[in-house]
Amino acid sequence: MKAAIVKEKGAIPVIGHMDFPVATDGLVVINVSAAGLSRVSKFRSMGMHYSSEFNFPIVAGMDGVGTMEDGSRVYFALSAAPYGSLAEQTLVNRKLTVRLPDGLDDVTAAAIANPGMSSWAALVYRAGFKSGQTVLINGATGVSGSLAVRIAKGLGAKKVIVTGRNESKLQALEADEAIAFDMTADSGQKRFEDNLLPVIAEGVDVILDYLWGDSALAIMSALAKTHTNRVARFVSIGTSSGQENIHLPSSVLRSSTIELIGSGGDSVSKADMLTAVRGVFEMAAEGKLTINTAEFVLEEIEEAWNAPLSPRPVVKVK
C-alpha cells in the first residue's frame, strides 16, 4: 500500500510502500480517509517527542479518520507501530476509536481532534474546571489556543482572558479581555506582568499555557503578586515559545496559591483523551466549533509537512 514513511530519526516522510496491515486480536484495520498534521504528530513521527518509542522506518502520522470494516466512520489515535495514519490503511486498537457524529465531515474531524482535545482534556481532567470559573489562555492566537476560547465558553466559563504576541489576532477572538505582549522589547516580560496584575487581581481559576517560557513566568509572577487565597491551576500544555526551560523562583510558588500541573499523553488517560475528542466532535457537529484547513493529497506529503499549522494541514488519503 502507498504510505508516507519516515526512514530515520529526524527525517521528514517520503512516499513509499508498506505491506497492508492484518487485523489481530484487539487490533482492527482502518481504511484511512484523512489525517491532520499537528505539531505533536509531526515531532512524534520523527522520533523527536517524549512519547516517541519505536524503531524506524515507520509510517508517519499519529491520528486520523477512516472507516472500519462495517463502514462506520471513526476517528482513531495511536496506530500500532510501524503503522501510522498517513497510509491507505492502518492498524489500531479498537478501544482507541471514536465514532464520528452525523454532520461532521472527515476533513474537519481530522483537523480539529488534536487541537480541540488539548484544551478540553486540560480543563476537565487536569484543572477540574467548573462552570462559572475564569480561564486565562496564554498563546491564544494559535489553532489550539483559539479553539480553547470557544471550548472554555462552551463548557461554561464565566470569563475568558487571552494573551499572545499578535494583538490583532487576539482582538478577533471571542474573549472577554485580551493582553498582548512582546518579549523581545526592552523590559517586555515586566511590562506584560504589569499589564496582567489588574486583570488577575479580579480572580483567575485556570490558566491554559501553550507557550511556556518568559510569558508563562510573567503570568505566574503576576499571580504571586496578587496575594489572593483563590487557587489558580496553571496547566502547561505546550512549548510553542521554543523555551523548554525557565528560571522559576521558589518564592513564586511559596508565596501564592498556584497549582502547577501539566496536561499531555502521559498525564491524561487514553480513555479521557478520547472522551475529550468526542466532546469536541459534538460541539463541531453543532456548529459551535470550526477550524480552517488546507487540504493536501498523500503524494504532497513533503509540502504538507512543511506547511504552516494554520490553517491546519490535512492530508486526504482516499
Side-chain angles (χ1 to χ4, degrees):
M1 66 175 179
K2 192 180 299 181
I5 301 173
V6 179
K7 295 184 176 181
E8 60 184 9
K9 182 177 180 177
I12 68 172
V14 295
I15 292 297
H17 290 84
M18 291 272 289
D19 291 337
F20 283 97
V22 178
T24 61
D25 290 343
L27 298 178
V28 296
V29 173
I30 304 286
N31 295 304
V32 183
S33 60
L37 293 184
S38 61
R39 177 183 172 87
V40 63
S41 179
K42 290 164 63 174
F43 275 72
R44 189 174 188 274
S45 297
M46 294 189 293
M48 299 168 66
H49 189 262
Y50 68 83
S51 65
S52 302
E53 296 179 355
F54 35 70
N55 297 316
F56 295 95
I58 64 159
V59 177
M62 186 179 74
D63 61 347
V65 170
T67 55
M68 300 181 71
E69 186 177 349
D70 62 3
S72 58
R73 295 188 309 133
V74 296
Y75 164 81
F76 62 87
L78 303 176
S79 306
Y83 297 103
S85 57
L86 289 162
E88 294 178 68
Q89 290 186 343
T90 193
L91 194 63
V92 181
N93 185 324
R94 184 184 294 273
K95 295 180 180 179
L96 298 180
T97 63
V98 174
R99 295 218 173 193
L100 267 60
D102 294 337
L104 183 63
D105 65 272
D106 290 2
V107 169
T108 299
I112 208 168
N114 181 272
M117 169 271 296
S118 70
S119 58
W120 190 296
L123 283 167
V124 175
Y125 300 113
R126 298 299 289 154
F129 172 80
K130 300 289 191 298
S131 179
Q133 291 186 324
T134 294
V135 178
L136 187 155
I137 301 167
N138 188 37
T141 59
V143 176
S144 298
S146 60
L147 285 172
V149 175
R150 284 170 279 170
I151 287 171
K153 288 281 190 179
L155 290 174
K158 176 183 178 181
K159 182 178 181 181
V160 176
I161 305 159
V162 292
T163 64
R165 291 166 285 201
N166 189 315
E167 186 167 4
S168 61
K169 286 186 177 181
L170 285 177
Q171 296 298 334
L173 297 173
E174 298 173 3
D176 298 291
E177 293 196 47
I179 304 172
F181 59 77
D182 181 4
M183 293 301 166
T184 65
D186 291 340
S187 303
Q189 183 174 332
K190 185 179 185 306
R191 290 183 188 181
F192 182 42
E193 186 179 325
D194 290 343
N195 290 335
L196 284 166
L197 282 170
V199 176
I200 287 179
E202 295 179 11
V204 173
D205 301 290
V206 177
I207 299 92
L208 300 183
D209 176 56
Y210 287 94
L211 300 180
W212 200 236
D214 294 337
S215 63
L217 182 57
I219 292 170
M220 285 186 274
S221 297
L223 283 165
K225 289 179 179 179
T226 58
H227 302 294
T228 176
N229 291 325
R230 187 170 178 171
V231 173
R233 292 186 173 90
F234 187 106
V235 189
S236 175
I237 303 174
T239 56
S240 293
S241 68
Q243 294 177 277
E244 182 68 30
N245 301 309
I246 62 173
H247 176 70
L248 177 59
S250 171
S251 59
V252 169
L253 298 179
R254 288 185 288 114
S255 63
S256 71
T257 54
I258 300 171
E259 293 184 359
L260 180 58
I261 53 181
S263 183
D266 291 334
S267 57
V268 181
S269 72
K270 292 181 177 65
D272 286 342
M273 287 285 195
L274 292 176
T275 300
V277 169
R278 190 175 291 110
V280 170
F281 284 170
E282 290 172 357
M283 273 194 183
E286 294 169 0
K288 297 177 181 177
L289 290 177
T290 59
I291 187 168
N292 294 325
T293 60
E295 296 182 23
F296 300 85
V297 295
L298 189 58
E299 289 78 6
E300 298 172 319
I301 185 59
E302 183 174 352
E303 182 183 352
W305 205 260
N306 292 321
L309 292 179
S310 181
R312 179 67 70 178
V314 177
V315 177
K316 297 181 69 175
V317 180
K318 289 185 179 179

